[in-house]
Structures are given as structure tokens and as C-alpha cells.
Amino acid sequence: MAKKKARTAPSNTIDVDQDMSTHDAPSDPTPAPAPTADDDLMIDTDPSSVPEVSAAPKFLALPANAGQIAQKSETRRVPVPPHRMTPLKKDWINIFSPLTEILGLQVRMNIQRKCVEIRTSKHTKDIGALQKGADFVKAYSLGFDVNDAIALLRLDDLYLDSFEIKDVKTLHGDHLSRAIGRIAGQDGKTKFTIENASRTRIVLADTKIHIMGSFQNIKVARDAIVSLILGSPPGKVYAGLRTVSARMKQRAL
């Protein structure tokens, strides 16, 4: 019995020591000291280093050669119908001269692909020169005269509008032929009258109709042609054109 007590005695002392160590250890960590006013005074701020808040951004000046950066050349290919290739070859001098002199473009005629290729160059100044040149060649390929198509290069408010007779009314056989005859008139009289009254240019290519002019003038000419397709007599269309042309003259004054 004495031996057993002697063996158990050290275990009791170890437990007591562990309990003492646990009681001696602090239960909660000490909180960090709160910043005082002295700490704030130690941070010295320079008012000149603080950026000023401004509404408008400030950009650096551009170099002198910023506007002379070479841009990549753009190319446009305008297809030409087979029946317009022969007139294109005859009037080629009158076609490429305005494109190169007025717009500063590079032009060539591709006979194998049956198209006209247009490309910008270092002499091209207008940003819309390529589109103007493509519209000019397209107008000629549709059947307009070269002198009329040049107006697309000189004026900015001219457009091209195309539609077919079947878009207005479905006609077949002799009815379609009579509709085309009403639009053209005897020796082209009706077409010329519509062109002069509405200040436009009209091309009749089979069942397709192409109109070149300003937006408002194209609308006047298209309304007159639609009336003829639907069967209105030319005399009634002439009367309407006189009224519209008189209003256009008053607005011009």
C-alpha cells in the first residue's frame, strides 16, 4: 500500500502544477492602445502634394507630325454589268479623270472581273472620297450619263434610288409593257417632264427604275412614276407635277 501511494504522489503534484500554470496564464489578451491625438500630429501632410480636383481633364500637346501619320489604303471594287463594259471603255478618260483629279484616288479597270477598282492614296484628302467615287462609278454602270454622275462628286446631298415595277404592282405581259410605255411616254416626253419638274435624272432599264437627285426630289419623282404604274393618265400626273414644282420654287425663293 505504501508503494502504491508513493507512485501516485508524483501524479498529483503534476496535476497541481498544471492547474497552477493555467491559473497564472492571462485569460484575455491585452487590447492594443488606442491612437491618441499626438499620433495624428506626427503625420505631417504637405498641401502641395495633394492633387487638385478639376472637372476638365488636361491632355498633353500633340506633336507637329500627328496629323501626317500614314493610314492604311482602302480598296473598293464596283461591279459593272456586261452591257455597260463597252460604254465604259469609250468613256474611260472621262471617268477616271474626275476620280484622280477631284478626289485623289487611284483607279483601274479590271476587264477579267468586269469591275472598276478604286483605292485611296496619299493624295486623298477627303475621308468620304472612296464612297463618293464608288457612287460615281455605280451611277454610270446603272446607265446615267457621265456629266450627270459627276454631280455626285461635287455635291453632298445627292443620292441614288432604285426600285422595280413589280415592287409597286405585279404586272405581266402587255400590262407590264404598257406601264413602261406610260413612264417613258412618246419619244421620252413623260420621262423628261418628270425629270425637269422634280430636278432629278431617271433611267429606265427594262423593269428597273433608277433615280438620282436629292432626297425630297427623289420622293417627288417616285410618286409620279408610281402613279403612272398604277394606271393614272399622264395628264393628271402633269397637273400634280406643276403643283409640286410651283411649291418647290416658292420654297427656294
Side-chain angles (χ1 to χ4, degrees), residues 203-219:
V203 170
L204 294 176
D206 197 12
T207 61
K208 295 182 180 180
I209 302 168
H210 310 289
I211 308 173
M212 180 176 64
S214 63
F215 181 79
Q216 193 67 27
N217 295 343
I218 287 175
K219 184 179 183 304

Side-chain angles (χ1 to χ4, degrees), residues 117-139:
E117 297 176 354
I118 308 173
R119 185 175 65 180
T120 58
S121 64
K122 61 181 180 179
H123 303 288
T124 306
K125 299 179 180 179
D126 188 5
I127 191 173
L130 189 64
Q131 183 63 42
K132 287 184 179 180
D135 292 340
F136 169 71
V137 178
K138 181 181 178 181

Side-chain angles (χ1 to χ4, degrees), residues 113-163:
R113 292 188 175 184
K114 295 182 180 180
C115 64
V116 176
E117 297 176 354
I118 308 173
R119 185 175 65 180
T120 58
S121 64
K122 61 181 180 179
H123 303 288
T124 306
K125 299 179 180 179
D126 188 5
I127 191 173
L130 189 64
Q131 183 63 42
K132 287 184 179 180
D135 292 340
F136 169 71
V137 178
K138 181 181 178 181
Y140 182 81
S141 64
L142 292 177
F144 291 97
D145 189 32
V146 179
N147 298 326
D148 296 335
I150 288 178
L152 291 170
L153 305 180
R154 302 183 182 276
L155 301 177
D156 295 332
D157 59 343
L158 293 183
Y159 307 96
L160 291 173
D161 186 19
S162 302
F163 65 96

Side-chain angles (χ1 to χ4, degrees), residues 32-107:
T36 60
D38 296 337
D39 296 332
D40 296 335
L41 294 175
M42 293 298 292
I43 301 173
D44 189 10
T45 58
D46 187 6
S48 62
S49 62
V50 179
E52 297 180 358
V53 179
S54 59
K58 296 181 180 179
F59 299 101
L60 299 176
L62 292 174
N65 59 352
Q68 301 177 358
I69 298 175
Q71 296 181 354
K72 185 178 180 180
S73 62
E74 299 179 2
T75 307
R76 189 74 61 87
R77 185 177 290 113
V78 183
V80 179
H83 68 279
R84 294 294 295 173
M85 287 300 297
T86 302
L88 181 68
K89 295 176 183 179
K90 292 180 179 179
D91 296 332
W92 180 243
I93 297 178
N94 299 327
I95 291 173
F96 82 84
S97 297
L99 294 175
T100 55
E101 295 175 1
I102 299 176
L103 300 180
L105 299 173
Q106 295 179 349
V107 192

